[in-house]
Amino acid sequence: MTTFDTKAFFEPNTFTVTYLISDKQTKQAAIIDAVLDFSAKSGTTSTKSADQIIDYINDNGPKLKWIFESHAHADHLSAAPHLKKALGGQTAIGAEISQVQETFKKIFNLEKEFLVDGSQFDKLLNEGDTLDLGNTSIKVLHTPGHTPACVSYLLEDTIFVGDTLFMPDFGTARADFPGGDAKTLYQSIKKILSLPDHTKIYVGHDYLAPGRDNYAWESTVAQQKAENIHVKEHTSEQEFVEYRTKRDSTLEVPDLILPSVQVNIRAGDLPPQEDNGVSYLKLPINLL
Ligand SMILES: [Fe+2]
């Protein structure tokens, strides 16, 4: 028996799984990786997906304490500011977000006032930090590789791994974004797979691997060690790095990487409005 409940919300346009964790006794709650809907064609945002979670919370009584990111996502915009405005709570992300901010401040030639110290977030998380959620304790594991700031959240015998591992039939996350590193990702995956075999693993995306009919996001350490198509229990670092690097060289840049990163390094806020009251995103030419 766990001291907390887990509810998953699947967002089908970006294949993202948002989690709501709530402590059973106190109803204190945390959200991991909420999506702000975005149309790149028209530049419009919508809170439809996030509002489903807000409605669920309002109907069922959890009190939002934490709004977590597993990392600065490259495939969707964060709905953290919208959630915070509607429900309260504190935003948190891995402390290495400062590295990610530094990298992308240069790429996007951001305004000099943009700080690269993570101060846009309420709390920065480091390896081994422990956070309270009522009677449930959340332990932070730094699991970089996909990005430098990736963290996983361990609650009793359940871990939320963001984009480190996917379902065993889909494998692992790419490691070729700026600051990503396949060797580092391997070490982070080993850290996760060193947890007890029965540990439940909740992943941050599901892309419906060929041959499967339903989206899924829950596995175990034992299943991943036995079945993950990229990294099994005895896969060596060298084998993994060779495979991952070769595969990454074939992958296209994600559709929403440019808008996502510009917004997510600001903790989900849009860039400052210009003198006409409109916020703009940049499109760097021939840089990525
Ligand atoms: Fe990601």
Side-chain angles (χ1 to χ4, degrees), residues 141-176:
L141 272 71
H142 183 213
T143 47
H146 172 57
T147 79
C150 289
V151 291
S152 299
Y153 298 96
L154 177 65
L155 291 74
E156 298 164 12
D157 55 2
T158 299
I159 187 163
F160 297 85
V161 298
D163 297 7
T164 49
L165 289 162
F166 295 130
M167 291 302 283
D169 57 3
F170 201 83
T172 58
R174 64 196 296 173
D176 61 334

Side-chain angles (χ1 to χ4, degrees), residues 12-27:
N13 292 312
T14 61
F15 308 97
T16 301
V17 194
T18 300
Y19 294 99
L20 171 66
I21 309 158
S22 49
D23 179 63
K24 283 179 180 161
Q25 203 178 35
T26 64
K27 296 270 189 186

Side-chain angles (χ1 to χ4, degrees), residues 116-130:
V116 293
D117 59 0
S119 57
Q120 298 84 351
F121 297 83
D122 295 318
K123 188 164 176 65
L124 296 178
L125 306 169
N126 291 290
E127 168 75 20
D129 281 356
T130 303

Side-chain angles (χ1 to χ4, degrees), residues 224-242:
Q224 293 281 1
K225 286 200 297 199
E227 299 165 21
N228 190 293
I229 57 166
H230 296 170
V231 58
K232 295 187 178 59
E233 187 172 9
H234 299 296
T235 305
S236 72
E237 182 180 279
Q238 195 189 346
E239 277 174 298
F240 176 75
V241 170
E242 276 173 19

Side-chain angles (χ1 to χ4, degrees), residues 182-194:
K183 202 169 162 177
T184 309
L185 179 60
Y186 178 86
Q187 294 303 333
S188 293
I189 290 169
K190 283 277 150 182
K191 192 193 273 188
I192 293 166
L193 297 185
S194 70

